[in-house]
Each structure stands twice: as C-alpha cells, then as structure tokens.
C-alpha cells in the first residue's frame, strides 16, 4: 500500500544543516493502523508531513498504490492529496464556520455539488458521533468534539490514508480513549489505512498493529506492537515500554520480597495473546511439589491481544524446580530465570 524508501529531510540554516528525517524506509500495509513514536525532536512530525508533501523531501521516494508522489507535478499532487486525509493536534478548524461547514469545506474545494455535499456531511456527522451539533461553532465544542470535527473533515473526500499528527496530545485521558476508539471503528468500517504519530506509548498499545520507533530522525526499531512490547531492542523503545510496564525494569527492586533461601528460583513469565488468560500458576501448584510466591505482575492489552508479565519465586528441591520451569516453557509461556536478583 505505502512504500517509503530512503526518505530524508534536511533543513539548511545560516549556521548549520539539520537532518530532521534520516534515510527512513518503511512498508505500511493497506488497512493497518501503523504507529510512529518518538520523543520530542525525533523527526516524527516532519516524517508524517513528508507523506503528503506538506514538507518536500530532500531524498527518497514515497509510493502510494505504486505511484511515487515525490515525483508528481503540482496538479496531480493536489488531486492525490484529496485521498490523504490529515488530523492535527490543535484541530486546525475554521472558527468562523459551523461544524457542518467545517466538514463541508474540503468538498467545496473539490467541487462536489451542494446536494451531494449535504448527504456526505450528514453521513460523516453521524459517523463521528456529532449528531445535533451541526450548527455549533468550534468555540462551543469540547476538545474531543473539535477533534471529531477534524476527523470528519479529513474523511470528507473518502481518503485512502489518514495521517494523525499527535491527534490526542491536547486531550485528557478519557477523551483520548474515546477518540482512539473512534479511529479503530473507522479503520474497521472503512478499511482505512491510518498512520498515527505520537509520543505516548499507551496510544500505540491501544490501537496500533505495528509500530516504528524514531530517534534523531532515524527508525531505530520496527515491528508488530506485541513483539516490540515483549522484546524491545533499542534503548528508546525500552524507555517507552517502561512507561506502561514498570515491572520490565524492576528486577533490582525484587530482592526485598524474596526469601533468603538456596532452594528457590525467581522467574519472569511473559504471557502473550490467549496465554495471558491461562491459569498457569494454578496448574503448577497442582502438578508440582513447590511453593509459589507471586512477587509482581501486570497485564497490558494491545490491538493484537494481551500480554502479561509475572515475577514469581519458586521454592522446592532443585530437581523439582527444574521440572517446574521446563513445564512452564513447554506451555508456550516465555520464561526467564533470574538467578541473580
């Protein structure tokens, strides 16, 4: 669907050259919600603005349905942009226009007849949950309602791709969840490809299928959200994962909870997908002659399923401990033995 090859953006100032996006290559499948996450200054907002050429790339190519938009002349680009919707952190609404007129605006620009505009606008108002607000002005709306107007406006021309640049950063947590639920619903109903830029790992966790992590203009890690959560490789990704699951980095704090005995092992268990619902600890207690001390645990839901992390201390004879650990591994649960906690 979208193939990005060696994409770069450099800014030249009087005294220096800034590499905002540095040789990024990504493939994004049709119909997926693809997250791009990074801290401030990572280059993620510049990256998303390159996709619809609000920023002109210095190098590289962007292919959407095998058509390279970096080589399109201005007349073709204007037509292509109608199929690339975009929503922004601060809504970018026309404050002198009503909800209805804000949503109708891109249809007016595209020359859609008035009768068809009305039908489309009312359809979108219902889709984003703003029925009854047609004649309200942006100043009369909450932050979440303003973003719903922005989403409806971005969908007006039936885009193939929806770009979301920090679309929930200005919203409170409850409203953020509502907007994310709306994006998931739109993705499923319309089969729309969504590229979501954020600095919040909980946003990635909640709705994205895959994620790319950016740092200093480069993609330092990419993969399915569950894989990235369970086995982060870059330092930046590990910091983001820690925001949602502090247990990943709390091995040093477990010592206070552990018995000072030689006949014990401490293990970290990762439960992924349906295995997160498995009553493994109960199975082990019934099957093996071991004492089990649960130290810490958490379960994190993602779009592709849940994953859980559990730290447990096993107490028993060495041979039985080994059998217990082998049994856990054979169930498909990822087991890490922490011998030096």
């Amino acid at each position: 669907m979208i193939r990005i090859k060696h994409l770069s953006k450099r800014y030249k100032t009087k005294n220096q050259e800034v590499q905002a996006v540095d040789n990024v290559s990504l493939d994004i499948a049709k119909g997926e919600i693809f997250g791009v996450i990074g801290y401030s200054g990572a280059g993620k907002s510049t990256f998303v603005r390159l996709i619809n050429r609000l920023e002109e790339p210095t190098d590289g190519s962007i292919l959407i349905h095998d058509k390279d938009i970096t080589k399109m002349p201005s007349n073709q680009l204007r037509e292509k942009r109608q199929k690339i919707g975009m929503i922004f952190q601060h809504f970018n609404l026309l404050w002198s226009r009503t909800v209805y007129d804000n949503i109708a605006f891109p249809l007016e620009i595209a020359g859609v007849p008035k009768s068809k505009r009305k039908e489309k606008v009312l359809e979108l108002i219902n889709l984003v949950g703003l029925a009854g607000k047609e004649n309200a002005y942006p100043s009369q709306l909450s932050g979440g309602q303003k973003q719903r107007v922005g989403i409806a406006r971005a969908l007006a021309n039936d885009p193939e791709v929806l770009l979301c640049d920090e679309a929930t950063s200005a919203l409170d947590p409850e409203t953020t969840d509502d907007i994310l639920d709306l994006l998931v619903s739109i993705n499923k109903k319309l089969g729309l490809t969504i590229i979501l830029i954020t600095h919040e790992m909980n946003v990635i966790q909640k709705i994205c299928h895959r994620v790319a992590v950016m740092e200093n203009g480069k993609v330092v890690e990419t993969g399915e959200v569950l894989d990235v959560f369970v086995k982060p490789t870059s330092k930046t990704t590990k910091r983001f994962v820690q925001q949602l699951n502090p247990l990943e980095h709390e091995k040093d704090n477990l010592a206070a909870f552990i018995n000072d005995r030689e006949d014990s092992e401490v293990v970290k268990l990762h439960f992924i997908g349906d295995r997160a619902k498995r009553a493994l600890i109960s199975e082990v207690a019934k099957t093996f002659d071991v004492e089990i001390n649960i130290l810490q645990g958490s379960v994190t839901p993602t779009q592709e399923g849940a994953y859980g992390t559990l730290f447990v201390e096993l107490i028993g004879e060495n041979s039985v401990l080994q059998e217990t650990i082998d049994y856990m591994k054979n169930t498909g649960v990822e087991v890490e033995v922490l011998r030096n906690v």
Side-chain angles (χ1 to χ4, degrees):
M1 168 60 182
I2 301 175
R3 177 158 289 179
I4 297 164
K5 298 180 180 178
H6 308 297
L7 189 65
S8 294
K9 176 64 177 181
R10 290 185 295 276
Y11 295 101
K12 292 184 179 179
T13 66
K14 207 170 187 180
N15 301 318
Q16 63 178 337
E17 184 175 87
V18 177
Q19 186 83 42
V21 176
D22 190 357
N23 196 30
V24 169
S25 294
L26 290 170
D27 286 343
I28 299 170
K30 177 177 170 56
E32 79 171 325
I33 304 177
F34 190 93
V36 179
I37 189 168
Y39 291 106
S40 179
K44 57 191 185 298
S45 289
T46 302
F47 166 73
V48 78
R49 290 169 67 87
L50 291 170
I51 294 175
N52 60 1
R53 279 181 60 187
L54 288 178
E55 295 278 358
E56 288 293 335
T58 306
D59 298 298
S61 60
I62 303 164
L63 282 78
I64 301 177
H65 288 149
D66 296 322
K67 294 182 179 178
D68 189 348
I69 70 163
T70 60
K71 295 179 180 177
M72 285 183 179
S74 57
N75 60 329
Q76 289 183 21
L77 179 60
R78 280 194 299 271
E79 186 177 329
K80 189 64 176 177
R81 275 184 179 149
Q82 292 180 4
K83 295 300 179 183
I84 306 174
M86 190 165 187
I87 57 177
F88 305 86
Q89 177 179 356
H90 297 296
F91 320 125
N92 286 18
L93 302 181
L94 299 169
W95 294 90
S96 62
R97 284 179 168 242
T98 63
V99 167
Y100 182 100
D101 291 334
N102 263 281
I103 298 169
F105 184 65
L107 297 170
E108 294 174 27
I109 298 298
V112 176
K114 191 172 183 179
S115 59
K116 289 188 176 180
R117 285 205 306 265
K118 182 176 181 180
E119 180 182 349
K120 185 66 176 179
V121 171
L122 294 178
E123 175 190 326
L124 289 168
I125 284 172
N126 286 321
L127 177 67
V128 300
L130 286 175
K133 295 289 184 181
E134 296 88 343
N135 297 317
Y137 288 89
S139 61
Q140 299 171 305
L141 303 177
S142 68
Q145 290 170 333
K146 290 172 189 171
Q147 196 56 285
R148 288 173 186 269
V149 177
I151 292 170
R153 182 183 59 187
L155 298 176
N157 283 313
D158 299 316
E160 303 161 340
V161 181
L162 180 62
L163 307 178
C164 306
D165 188 8
E166 298 279 9
T168 59
S169 294
L171 306 176
D172 62 71
E174 184 176 351
T175 307
T176 291
D177 284 344
D178 290 342
I179 294 299
L180 294 178
D181 288 341
L182 176 60
L183 290 174
V184 171
S185 174
I186 289 169
N187 168 255
K188 290 177 179 177
K189 286 179 182 177
L190 306 181
L192 188 64
T193 304
I194 299 176
I195 301 176
L196 189 148
I197 305 300
T198 185
H199 64 274
E200 300 171 295
M201 197 62 170
N202 65 302
V203 171
I204 299 293
Q205 164 239 319
K206 186 172 176 64
I207 74 167
C208 293
H209 302 106
R210 291 193 302 135
V211 61
V213 182
M214 289 191 71
E215 181 182 6
N216 295 325
K218 295 178 179 289
V219 170
V220 295
E221 187 164 356
T222 186
E224 294 185 4
V225 169
L226 261 179
D227 292 340
V228 170
F229 265 73
V230 174
K231 294 181 180 179
T233 58
S234 75
K235 288 183 179 180
T236 300
T237 310
K238 289 175 181 177
R239 286 173 63 194
F240 278 119
V241 171
Q242 186 180 4
Q243 292 175 6
L244 287 183
N245 189 7
L247 300 186
E248 292 294 330
H249 298 269
E250 288 196 359
K251 296 178 187 178
D252 294 339
N253 298 328
L254 294 175
F257 302 97
I258 299 171
N259 294 303
D260 187 17
R261 299 170 56 161
E262 294 184 358
D263 58 345
S264 73
E265 289 280 17
V266 176
V267 297
K268 182 176 78 170
L269 308 175
H270 267 310
F271 302 84
I272 303 172
D274 290 340
R275 298 189 186 101
K277 302 175 183 177
R278 182 166 183 167
L280 180 61
I281 300 303
S282 178
E283 292 176 29
V284 168
K286 293 175 182 177
T287 307
F288 298 96
D289 184 20
V290 294
E291 294 179 41
I292 303 173
N293 181 19
I294 296 176
L295 305 175
Q296 291 176 319
S298 69
V299 175
T300 302
T302 76
Q303 183 76 336
E304 296 299 299
Y307 85 94
T309 301
L310 188 65
F311 290 91
V312 298
E313 182 186 23
L314 305 173
I315 303 171
E317 294 183 4
N318 288 338
S319 60
V320 179
L321 292 178
Q322 189 57 56
E323 288 179 19
T324 304
I325 291 168
D326 291 342
Y327 174 84
M328 289 176 167
K329 290 179 178 177
N330 288 333
T331 65
V333 172
E334 187 175 321
V335 181
E336 181 182 353
V337 179
L338 309 175
R339 298 182 184 278
N340 299 310
V341 175

